[in-house]
Amino acid sequence: MNLYEDLKWRGLLKDISSPKVEELLNGEGVTFYIGTDPTGDSLHIGHFSSFLIASRLKKAGHHPILLIGGATGQIGDPKPTAERAMITKEEVARNVEALTNQVKKIFGFEIVNNWDWSKDINFIDYLRDYGKYFSINYMLDKDIIRRRLDAGITYTEFSYMIMQSLDFLWLYQNKGCIMQVAGQDQWGNITAGIDLIRKKTGEEAYGFTMPLITKKDGTKFGKSEGNAIWLDINKTSSYEMYQFFINTEDEMVIDYLKKLTFLSKEEIEKIEKLHQEAPEKRVAHKRLAEEVITFLHGHDEYEKAVRISESLFSEKVTELTSDEVITSLKGVPSVDVKLGLTIVDMLVDSKIVSSKREAREFVSAGAISINNKKIMELDYIVEDTDTIEGKVLIIKRGKKNYYLGFVK
């Protein structure tokens, strides 16, 4: 199976600008670029599939360039529903530096910043050298612009297409870049860049898009959706990433294996068979987590995530370090715990229950546990031996209510 066929099988091809794209992909030595605006200080899983495509092309002998939009990031790509909030120039600069370091570490791509060639273009030159090549009718016909017309779109957002086209032209003329790769929402910008290159140079450039990675309901993964899984281990721990993939919808896990891993068609088909025979064993989910976490953070981090997952909700939790527990239970309500109190008094003092009567009812019913050990004696004294490294303890009330207790 050649590269083009592999991308099609994985569901990674949406639009192509020309039939020649297939020939170029199956050949060698094409310089192409993929871009991202520095709206945050880390990439997330929504970016990961796109950047893996660049890695796939690199493995096949092509040369990827990552463009970080230090200029376009100050403007903002039009969203389908509303204008993006502008971020400060200082924040853009910090994010450019953070993303540059992250991409070098994870992917090792050549990196460029469009601020370098955009900053010195004055307004008159911008209109004369680039704006005159864009018909308003042509721009209005682009899908993302059409969808915003009723709600309204500013001239700033409207101009984004020209800025991205300018990027493609600059890379074409200065880096020999003849292809752009992006998510399907960038199709209008890609074709605008191809048209600008044709009008300015008389030569042809190419592009293709990939479907956005989404959940079963079509919701995409990204920070604006409030469910971002960051590639920065300091923002999303390996344990959190493991839990994300382990809890992936059964109907989507094979699709993610195709798009987010380098596993071969044969390997994925074997995993799919096991998944269909016994989905409760989470074979596909575990392999997905292993492949992604190992690629991003190394196999040791994957093994650490598995160890924490297996220990956190069993009595083996005491084998974890306090830092591992704190990181893993990020988002769980925290309480202050005073040692030396009875379990009843500790529950009231920590405000886990509202009264001693309620505390006694929970304890007597076997509904209270510390570090996954059930406590049923009303006069049980909570002591240092109940803590993890003398710093924290996990308190469970009922079936689902967890609290991370910090020793006062």
Side-chain angles (χ1 to χ4, degrees):
M1 187 160 54
N2 60 38
L3 176 60
Y4 187 83
E5 291 169 344
D6 182 66
L7 293 177
K8 283 191 70 174
W9 175 77
R10 292 178 187 275
L12 290 172
L13 287 176
K14 179 71 170 63
D15 304 292
I16 62 171
S17 65
S18 162
K20 191 173 180 182
V21 169
E22 180 175 358
E23 175 189 334
L24 291 169
L25 288 175
N26 290 335
E28 289 187 6
V30 170
T31 297
F32 68 96
Y33 94 95
I34 183 168
T36 187
D37 279 341
T39 54
D41 60 3
S42 172
L43 301 173
H44 51 68
I45 284 294
H47 297 110
F48 188 55
S49 174
S50 304
F51 279 57
L52 272 193
I53 283 197
S55 290
R56 296 181 204 281
L57 268 62
K58 184 177 181 180
K59 283 177 176 285
H62 302 300
H63 176 65
I65 298 174
L66 169 66
L67 183 149
I68 298 179
T72 44
Q74 297 182 42
I75 302 303
D77 195 5
K79 292 172 64 176
T81 55
E83 187 169 4
R84 294 180 188 272
M86 280 197 179
I87 59 178
T88 67
K89 292 181 179 180
E90 292 75 20
E91 187 176 354
V92 169
R94 287 195 297 272
N95 291 344
V96 167
E97 182 179 5
L99 293 183
T100 298
N101 292 334
Q102 185 178 56
V103 171
K104 281 181 179 177
K105 181 179 178 182
I106 296 175
F107 297 99
F109 297 156
E110 177 184 357
I111 299 171
V112 296
N113 179 354
N114 61 13
W115 173 252
D116 293 337
W117 58 83
S118 301
K119 66 181 185 298
D120 295 325
I121 300 174
N122 66 48
F123 186 62
I124 299 299
D125 289 342
Y126 170 77
L127 293 177
R128 286 175 58 86
D129 295 340
Y130 309 106
K132 72 173 184 175
Y133 291 98
F134 288 82
S135 158
I136 291 297
N137 292 340
Y138 173 85
M139 296 176 75
L140 289 174
D141 194 47
K142 296 299 183 182
D143 179 64
I144 194 68
I145 303 298
R146 277 203 316 269
R147 291 160 66 185
R148 282 288 304 281
L149 288 179
D150 289 339
I153 184 169
T154 66
Y155 177 76
T156 299
E157 290 182 287
F158 193 60
S159 300
Y160 188 94
M161 182 188 301
I162 301 178
M163 292 188 69
Q164 186 166 318
S165 300
L166 191 162
D167 290 341
F168 200 174
L169 175 64
W170 191 92
L171 290 170
Y172 181 89
Q173 292 177 323
N174 294 275
K175 294 282 187 177
C177 175
I178 66 168
M179 185 182 294
Q180 183 179 356
V181 181
Q184 66 186 67
D185 57 343
Q186 295 296 310
W187 179 239
N189 291 330
I190 289 178
T191 53
I194 291 171
D195 286 341
L196 179 62
I197 290 170
R198 185 184 301 117
K199 290 173 181 176
K200 291 278 284 185
T201 71
E203 297 173 340
E204 193 68 24
Y206 306 90
F208 73 87
T209 67
M210 65 211 79
L212 301 176
I213 186 167
T214 65
K215 297 188 290 185
K216 182 183 174 183
D217 62 4
T219 307
K220 68 179 184 178
F221 296 117
K223 65 179 185 301
S224 57
E225 282 66 42
N227 56 359
I229 300 297
W230 301 101
L231 305 194
D232 185 341
I233 197 170
N234 296 311
K235 292 169 74 75
T236 296
S237 69
S238 293
Y239 166 77
E240 291 174 288
M241 189 173 286
Y242 181 84
Q243 289 299 313
F244 171 78
F245 287 121
I246 285 294
N247 291 298
T248 290
E249 297 152 313
D250 287 351
E251 300 89 340
M252 300 302 294
V253 67
I254 300 302
D255 186 56
Y256 295 162
L257 274 172
K258 292 177 180 179
K259 293 177 177 176
L260 299 178
T261 78
F262 287 103
L263 294 176
S264 68
K265 182 175 184 288
E266 293 72 25
E267 289 175 297
I268 291 175
E269 286 175 345
K270 287 178 183 176
I271 294 169
E272 184 174 17
K273 185 172 184 295
L274 294 172
H275 173 64
Q276 291 171 343
E277 292 171 349
E280 72 281 0
K281 291 184 178 179
R282 318 301 276 178
V283 172
H285 301 71
K286 291 175 181 177
R287 189 61 186 275
L288 174 63
E290 180 179 6
E291 291 298 316
V292 176
I293 294 171
T294 299
F295 182 90
L296 291 172
H297 305 309
H299 198 70
D300 288 348
E301 278 295 327
Y302 167 73
E303 291 183 337
K304 177 181 174 182
V306 172
R307 179 173 59 83
I308 292 174
S309 298
E310 292 175 348
S311 303
L312 196 57
F313 300 108
S314 73
E315 290 195 19
K316 289 184 178 180
V317 68
T318 54
E319 298 174 5
L320 301 177
T321 68
S322 57
D323 285 343
E324 288 174 336
V325 171
I326 293 168
T327 300
S328 303
L329 293 181
K330 185 168 59 178
V332 168
S334 61
V335 296
D336 290 329
V337 173
K338 187 185 296 183
L339 300 179
L341 301 179
T342 66
I343 186 68
V344 171
D345 289 337
M346 185 276 287
L347 291 172
V348 175
D349 184 70
S350 300
K351 297 182 174 56
I352 292 173
V353 298
S354 58
S355 67
K356 287 189 176 184
R357 179 185 60 79
E358 188 180 31
R360 286 192 290 267
E361 288 175 356
F362 276 118
V363 174
S364 299
I368 298 294
S369 65
I370 294 178
N371 297 336
N372 301 315
K373 182 179 73 173
K374 194 172 290 187
I375 307 296
M376 298 190 68
E377 301 85 14
L378 294 174
D379 58 353
Y380 183 91
I381 304 296
V382 182
E383 298 180 315
D384 188 67
T385 53
D386 294 303
T387 71
I388 297 170
E389 296 183 339
K391 297 178 181 178
V392 296
L393 57 162
I394 302 170
I395 304 158
K396 183 183 178 187
R397 189 200 73 196
K399 291 184 177 180
K400 296 183 178 179
N401 297 300
Y402 283 89
Y403 300 86
L404 181 57
F406 288 86
V407 176
K408 287 200 267 188

